[in-house]
Amino acid sequence: LGGTYLLARRCAGLVAVLCDALLLVFLLLQIQQLEMLAAQVAQAAAQGQAEEEVLGDVPDEFLDPIQYTLMKDPVVLPTSGTIMDRPTIMRHLLSDQRDPINRQLLTPEMLQPATELKAKIQAWLQEQRGNRMQ
């Protein structure tokens, strides 16, 4: 009976060491994934900065009024008439179902695409890129 007890203790010790080793491997993999994500974020930021330099001064009507970034998918908030970039207002609506301008009820289904403005932004982008290429 004493031998079985000692064997069980040794096994428990080995299991604990193995668990620690597995945890270490898991943490190292997590660190590696975070480093890869950080590199991707840095690359995206550099590309964004390069894009901004190529574009130059963006007309105010093309800028999201909350983020002050170039809108890619502008939508009209029917409750206030404000035009915002869809990702910006969708992020806001996740936590607050009210128009950020006048605080009236607003849902994602109520958003209306600003197709004319989107076309103007896309035309301006093509023009800017064409000017920089020359």
Side-chain angles (χ1 to χ4, degrees):
L1 191 61
T4 305
Y5 175 76
L6 289 175
L7 181 61
R9 283 188 54 123
R10 273 194 212 145
C11 287
L14 289 174
V15 167
V17 169
L18 184 58
C19 285
D20 287 347
L22 287 174
L23 179 60
L24 182 59
V25 168
F26 174 76
L27 291 174
L28 289 173
L29 288 173
Q30 292 294 317
I31 290 170
Q32 184 180 24
Q33 288 177 341
L34 286 173
E35 288 172 343
M36 288 175 24
L37 179 61
Q40 291 172 344
V41 167
Q43 181 181 10
Q47 287 174 342
Q49 185 174 1
E51 176 82 3
E52 284 181 22
E53 290 172 7
V54 167
L55 297 178
D57 289 329
V58 177
D60 287 344
E61 70 175 310
F62 297 168
L63 295 175
D64 177 88
I66 303 291
Q67 297 289 325
Y68 296 105
T69 55
L70 179 65
M71 292 187 281
K72 294 180 178 40
D73 188 11
V75 293
V76 177
L77 313 185
T79 49
S80 66
T82 303
I83 297 176
M84 298 179 73
D85 204 16
R86 186 181 302 272
T88 302
I89 189 63
M90 291 299 289
R91 192 170 31 252
H92 169 80
L93 292 175
L94 287 173
S95 62
D96 186 357
Q97 293 267 306
R98 297 185 184 278
D99 185 317
I101 307 303
N102 63 14
R103 309 299 299 152
Q104 291 183 11
L105 178 66
L106 180 66
T107 64
E109 296 78 27
M110 296 168 68
L111 301 177
Q112 303 166 352
T115 52
E116 186 177 313
L117 180 58
K118 185 174 184 174
K120 288 169 75 174
I121 292 170
Q122 289 172 342
W124 180 81
L125 282 170
Q126 287 179 340
E127 179 184 326
Q128 292 301 109
R129 289 178 180 138
N131 289 344
R132 298 295 177 176
M133 294 275 209
Q134 298 174 355

